[in-house]
Amino acid sequence: CMPLTKSDLIERIAARQDQLPPRDVEMAVKMIMEEMARALINNRRIEIRGFGSFCLHYRAAFGTQSQDWWHCRTTGKMGSVLQTRQGTP
């Protein structure tokens, strides 16, 4: 499975949307990604209907007694559209 990069996403959308210049597509995708990152940074949950929801979970890092070191991971749940395409109930 090949990852879909931001530039790949911009190219695909620009190819399908002939009424929008590629520069506008690029700006829109970047704005959406920045807003999603800002939401996660501000400890908010992101939910995209049919696609999934995402949030950050923080916990103390392994092997340290200090609360100064934290591990952060993004967790998510697939939406119904992705589950159907993967054949997951």
Side-chain angles (χ1 to χ4, degrees):
C1 175
M2 293 291 294
L4 179 66
T5 64
K6 185 167 55 173
S7 59
D8 292 337
L9 180 62
I10 292 167
E11 286 177 23
R12 287 183 183 188
I13 293 172
R16 291 183 185 178
Q17 301 297 323
D18 57 353
Q19 74 274 14
L20 292 174
R23 177 171 265 181
D24 289 351
V25 172
E26 179 181 7
M27 186 172 41
V29 169
K30 285 183 176 182
M31 289 173 67
I32 291 168
M33 299 294 276
E34 287 172 7
E35 204 51 46
M36 291 172 69
R38 191 174 296 119
L40 290 173
I41 288 168
N42 291 321
N43 236 6
R44 294 187 355 240
R45 183 173 173 263
I46 298 172
E47 182 175 337
I48 303 171
R49 300 286 176 172
F51 184 76
S53 58
F54 308 91
C55 61
L56 294 179
H57 287 270
Y58 297 92
R59 63 171 170 75
F62 289 114
T64 180
Q65 298 297 326
S66 170
Q67 295 296 322
D68 295 337
W69 296 94
W70 289 88
H71 176 75
C72 173
R73 67 184 177 98
T74 305
T75 60
K77 180 179 179 186
M78 272 195 288
S80 59
V81 172
L82 290 180
Q83 287 178 359
T84 302
R85 289 189 179 185
Q86 283 194 336
T88 308

